[in-house]
Amino acid sequence: MGEVTIPLFPSRSIDDSWAFYEALGFEAEAKQTRPYAYLAVRRGDLRLQFFEVKKHDPNTGMFTCYVLTTDVNGLYEAFRGGLKTTLGRIPARGLPRIGRLGDMSYGVRQFLITDPDGNQMRIGQPISDDVDHRPPPKDRTGRALHTARLFVNSKQDYPGAVKILERLLEPADGVTAAQRVETLTLLADAALQMDDRERAREAVAAADRIDLTDAERAKAADELGRLGDLRTATAETAEPG
């Protein structure tokens, strides 16, 4: 079969859309301003098209697509590198932004990237033949982290995640140092998306004070990578103006 599906996204400015996707390593297949503004971009087999709608509200749109790849780690690093070169930073909040790369409970390793118009790509690589959600862990800490991770990285229910994570940070037996780092990283991420910058800074600082063994660091590599982006983002928001 020769069919191909190409997502068609709204754009407030074709020029701004092109600048963003060019930074991610896309090439322009077509670009026009008349009789209507239109853009088509391509990066290998990944193709996207855009139509200009100047009154589009990026904060209310629900435009998204899922992209399957065989090298999610490589694509994530390429996108981060392109954004850092173009913007001078890794955008972890607001628009545009790129989220955490990590293993999900439904057999996929994925990350989310959102463009200046709120259009979102979920980019993932299967890491299991089973795409059903795994049962949540039975222990209190594991179950709470499982749910909070889904709230932050999939559902994007940031207030719900914050409630779970703050309860988890209350004194309790059996919470490992690595689990506290993950809890604080998720809390900082959720708080930053809610524009609660002070809470995000406090969570990053608390995570930085936790000592991890080499084995714990290896296991928490995804969280530590995201923590680095959040550390930079919270430092930026702390600056006047």
Side-chain angles (χ1 to χ4, degrees):
M1 297 177 68
E3 290 78 13
V4 175
T5 299
I6 301 175
L8 188 59
F9 287 143
S11 166
R12 290 170 296 171
S13 166
I14 293 299
D15 289 335
D16 290 348
S17 293
W18 167 232
F20 176 77
Y21 285 94
E22 184 180 27
L24 299 183
F26 283 76
E27 298 178 352
E29 288 192 301
K31 186 174 183 287
Q32 68 179 37
T33 56
R34 294 182 179 179
Y36 52 87
Y38 163 84
L39 171 69
V41 299
R42 181 171 190 165
R43 193 183 196 281
D45 291 331
L46 176 51
R47 301 168 68 182
L48 303 170
Q49 296 182 8
F50 303 85
F51 59 98
E52 193 166 276
V53 183
K54 293 189 180 297
K55 293 184 178 181
H56 170 65
D57 184 350
N59 297 307
T60 60
M62 296 291 290
F63 299 92
T64 186
C65 68
Y66 201 98
V67 177
L68 288 175
T69 178
T70 57
D71 185 15
V72 70
N73 288 4
L75 203 55
Y76 184 69
E77 291 304 323
F79 283 2
R80 289 176 81 257
L83 290 172
K84 187 171 185 179
T85 297
T86 302
L87 303 177
R89 60 189 177 86
I90 305 296
R93 63 172 294 275
L95 295 174
R97 65 179 180 273
I98 187 168
R100 166 191 179 271
L101 171 65
D103 298 344
M104 306 305 294
S105 63
Y106 40 87
V108 174
R109 182 168 175 79
Q110 75 172 25
F111 68 95
L112 277 62
I113 185 164
T114 309
D115 76 8
D117 292 295
N119 303 311
Q120 186 178 88
M121 287 189 290
R122 292 173 178 260
I123 302 176
Q125 179 176 355
I127 54 176
S128 170
D129 293 332
D130 182 1
V131 296
D132 292 329
H133 274 281
R134 308 296 187 269
K138 296 185 181 300
D139 64 288
R140 171 184 177 270
T141 302
R143 185 170 64 252
L145 282 172
H146 171 88
T147 303
R149 195 180 303 114
L150 290 176
F151 275 25
V152 173
N153 297 318
S154 287
K155 192 177 180 183
Q156 298 182 67
D157 178 357
Y158 304 120
V162 167
K163 290 180 181 178
I164 295 171
L165 295 164
E166 288 192 330
R167 285 198 299 268
L168 191 56
L169 287 172
E170 296 172 359
D173 295 331
V175 180
T176 68
Q179 287 173 327
R180 289 190 68 82
V181 168
E182 181 175 358
T183 301
L184 289 163
T185 301
L186 285 167
L187 179 60
D189 208 339
L192 196 60
Q193 306 314 320
M194 295 166 60
D195 207 24
D196 188 344
R197 303 175 185 188
E198 184 59 31
R199 183 182 292 181
R201 284 193 289 270
E202 290 173 355
V204 169
D208 285 339
R209 291 193 292 269
I210 298 174
D211 290 327
L212 298 175
T213 66
D214 289 342
E216 288 172 330
R217 282 191 163 276
K219 188 174 182 180
D222 290 334
E223 281 67 41
L224 293 174
R226 182 61 173 170
L227 186 63
D229 289 346
L230 295 172
R231 186 182 302 111
T232 301
T234 53
E236 291 169 352
T237 57
E239 296 175 359

